[in-house]
Amino acid sequence: MRRIVRLTAIVAASLVAQMALAGCAATPGSGASTVTECRQLSPGLPWFGNIRERLQTTIDAHSSCTGTFSGGRAPVAIFDWDNTVVKNDIGYGTNFWMLRNDKVLQPANKDWKTTDRYLTDAAAVALSAACGSETPAGRPLKTSTDAECADEIVAVLDDTTRAGEPAFAGFDARRMTGAYSWGAALSAGYTAEDLEGFAAAMKQENLGAPEGATQTVGTKQVDGYIRVYQQIKDLIGTLQAHGVQTWVVSASPEPIVKVWAEEVGIDAAHIVGVRSVYENGIQTPHLEGCGGVPDGDDSVMTYIDGKRCWANQVIFGVEGPAAFEQLPAEHRQILSAGDSVTDVTFVGDATEARLVINRNKAELMCRAYDNDDGKWLVTPMFIDPKPQRTDPYACSTKAYTNPNNSPGPVKRVDGSVIPDQTDTAH
C-alpha cells in the first residue's frame, strides 16, 4: 500500500512539473489533476482596445496547457524583429556602430559595385568620391573621422545618394530590397562571430542609452537607443508557456538577430534573418538563396514574399519554388506580427491572429484596416507612436509595391481592390 501511495505522489509531482513547464498550475490544495491556471498575458501591460483579450483567446484555443492542442506538430507563431519586438532597427543600429568604430572595409578592388549587384553607377561613384581610394582594399575606412564618407554611406542605406539619386535598381521588389541587402553586405570580410561581437557592443550601448536618444554618425543624427517592447516579450513568453513554437523572421542579418533574441527568450535555432554566403568562414556580399534560387544569385531575402519563402523553407520544411506559395491553412502559423511592408505577406499567412504595429506603412495598413476576415489586430507603437495620418491610405491606387518597384492598387485574394482606408488605431 505504501508503495502505491508513493508512486501516486511521484506521478502527481511529475504532472505538476509538466504543467508548470507548460505554463499551467494546479489549484492549491485541490489535487494535481485539477488545472485551473494557465499563463495569461499580463493585465499590467497596456494594449490597444481589446487586442490582449483577442490574443489570449487565440493562445487558449491552441494550447497544450488548456488542452486545446494535444498532439502532432506544435502550433507556430512568427514575429518580425525590428520595430515589432523592439523599438528601432538592430540591423541599421549595427551599421551605425560599425561606422562610428571604423569597421566598414574598403571594397575589393576599391570598387563599390562589388558590394551589391543592385548598386547604381551613381551610388558607386558617389561612394568612391566620398570615401576615396587611399585606404587599401579590405582595410577599415576611417568613418569615425571621415564625415563625408560616413554621410554618403548613411544616405545610401536610406536608398539614395546625398545628391538624391537612386542608390539601387534592378531587383524584384517583392522578394528583396537593395538597401537592406547592402546593409548586410557592409559586414562582408568578417566572420559571423565578429559580427556577433559588433552587435553585442551595439546592444549594450543602445539598451543603456536614454529612451529617445540619438547619436551622430558622420554629421547625421540617427537613432541611438533600442528598447524591447514589454508587451511583445510577454506575448512571446505566454505563447511558449502554452506550447506554441515562437520564431523570428527578420530582414536584419541573422547573426545580429541571434544576439538580440535572448532578450525575449527565443533561442538561436528559432531565428531566420538575412543569410549571407560565407567562404572559408568569411562573409561575402552575396546572399543565400530560397525557394530554389541558388546561393549567390542575390535575388531573394527575408523581404515581403521572400519572408514567406524563408519561413516556409526553414520553419515548415518546404523545398523548391513551392516555398513562395501560401501553404494550406493546417500547415501555417497561427499568429504573425509585423510593422512594415516587409512583413505584409507572412503576416497575412497567419490563420488566427495577425498583429500589426502601426508605423503608417501603406500596403500593410491597407490590408490590416480592410480586415476582410476579422483576424487583423492593429495597435499603435508601444513607444513613441506615430501620429495619425490625416489623409487615407491610397489603397485603391498606389499603396501596393509591384515587382518592378512601381506602385499599384492593393487587391484582396479574390482580385477586388481594397478601397482607401482611414488611419484609426491611435
Side-chain angles (χ1 to χ4, degrees):
M1 182 66 178
R2 287 181 182 176
R3 179 174 175 80
I4 294 173
V5 170
R6 186 181 178 197
L7 284 173
T8 301
I10 291 172
V11 170
S14 176
L15 179 60
V16 171
Q18 291 178 40
M19 290 190 298
L21 287 173
C24 310
T27 302
S30 65
S33 61
T34 304
V35 178
T36 60
E37 294 181 11
C38 295
R39 174 167 168 170
Q40 301 288 290
L41 293 170
S42 172
L45 295 170
W47 285 85
F48 182 75
N50 68 345
I51 289 179
R52 180 174 62 240
E53 292 76 14
R54 294 278 303 278
L55 290 171
Q56 190 65 59
T57 297
T58 297
I59 294 168
D60 290 343
H62 299 82
S63 168
S64 59
C65 180
T66 64
T68 51
F69 173 79
S70 58
R73 176 168 183 152
V76 170
I78 307 177
F79 293 80
D80 167 58
W81 186 266
D82 300 303
N83 284 302
T84 297
V85 180
V86 298
K87 169 71 174 179
N88 291 328
D89 191 296
I90 63 172
Y92 281 153
T94 305
N95 291 146
F96 299 150
W97 185 93
M98 291 176 68
L99 289 168
R100 288 178 41 247
N101 289 274
D102 295 340
K103 297 299 183 182
V104 175
L105 306 179
Q106 178 78 283
N109 302 319
K110 303 180 183 179
D111 179 4
W112 285 94
K113 291 285 282 186
T114 65
T115 61
D116 194 292
R117 70 176 67 221
Y118 304 109
L119 192 73
T120 61
D121 291 340
V125 168
L127 288 162
S128 293
C131 298
S133 59
E134 293 79 11
T135 302
R139 301 298 301 168
L141 295 163
K142 302 299 183 183
T143 48
S144 63
T145 54
D146 187 347
E148 186 175 4
C149 180
D151 284 354
E152 196 65 56
I153 291 173
V154 170
V156 172
L157 282 169
D158 199 30
D159 267 335
T160 64
T161 67
R162 286 184 295 168
E165 297 172 287
F168 303 95
F171 51 88
D172 182 335
R174 298 301 297 183
R175 294 188 173 190
M176 67 168 302
T177 184
Y180 286 8
S181 66
W182 193 68
L186 287 181
S187 52
Y190 291 103
T191 66
E193 291 74 19
D194 290 333
L195 185 54
E196 290 171 1
F198 301 161
M202 180 275 291
K203 183 172 80 167
Q204 184 177 13
E205 284 187 4
N206 278 263
L207 289 178
E211 189 174 303
T214 60
Q215 59 182 322
T216 303
V217 178
T219 66
K220 306 299 180 182
Q221 291 295 303
V222 297
D223 293 326
Y225 80 103
I226 295 172
R227 289 291 186 276
V228 174
Y229 286 142
Q230 292 305 307
Q231 288 88 341
I232 301 297
K233 181 176 181 178
D234 181 52
L235 173 59
I236 290 169
T238 303
L239 285 161
Q240 292 173 339
H242 285 256
V244 179
Q245 287 189 8
T246 56
W247 286 79
V248 170
V249 181
S250 172
S252 284
E254 190 166 295
I256 297 173
V257 187
K258 287 180 176 179
V259 169
W260 278 85
E262 61 191 29
E263 294 293 322
V264 295
I266 296 181
D267 62 52
H270 290 82
I271 303 298
V272 184
V274 177
R275 295 187 173 183
S276 297
V277 174
Y278 284 77
E279 293 180 355
N280 300 317
I282 303 298
Q283 183 187 329
T284 74
H286 300 293
L287 302 171
E288 288 189 16
C290 181
V293 174
D295 293 351
D297 187 73
D298 304 335
S299 61
V300 60
M301 61 184 294
T302 43
Y303 185 81
I304 309 185
D305 295 349
K307 271 203 174 185
R308 169 193 280 168
C309 183
W310 275 106
N312 286 348
Q313 181 169 290
V314 177
I315 300 172
F316 300 111
V318 181
E319 298 181 357
F324 284 104
E325 304 300 324
Q326 187 181 71
L327 301 180
E330 63 271 20
H331 297 298
R332 305 202 309 262
Q333 62 270 29
I334 62 167
L335 181 152
S336 290
D339 71 285
S340 184
V341 177
T342 320
D343 311 315
V344 65
T345 301
F346 95 90
V347 172
D349 284 345
T351 59
E352 301 299 328
R354 305 175 192 131
L355 179 63
V356 173
I357 315 299
N358 185 2
R359 289 209 303 132
N360 293 344
K361 300 298 182 180
E363 183 181 341
L364 180 64
M365 301 315 299
C366 288
R367 296 198 184 280
Y369 282 135
D370 184 49
N371 196 17
D372 58 344
D373 63 0
K375 296 181 179 180
W376 294 85
L377 308 172
V378 182
T379 179
M381 299 171 72
F382 300 104
I383 297 173
D384 191 22
K386 294 285 186 182
Q388 185 175 17
R389 279 179 59 106
T390 56
D391 298 326
Y393 294 100
C395 309
S396 65
T397 54
K398 61 181 182 179
Y400 184 80
T401 301
N402 287 304
N404 67 359
N405 215 19
S406 66
V410 184
K411 297 180 181 180
R412 304 184 183 99
V413 174
D414 63 8
S416 59
V417 174
I418 294 177
D420 292 356
Q421 298 290 318
T422 301
D423 190 23
T424 57
H426 290 275

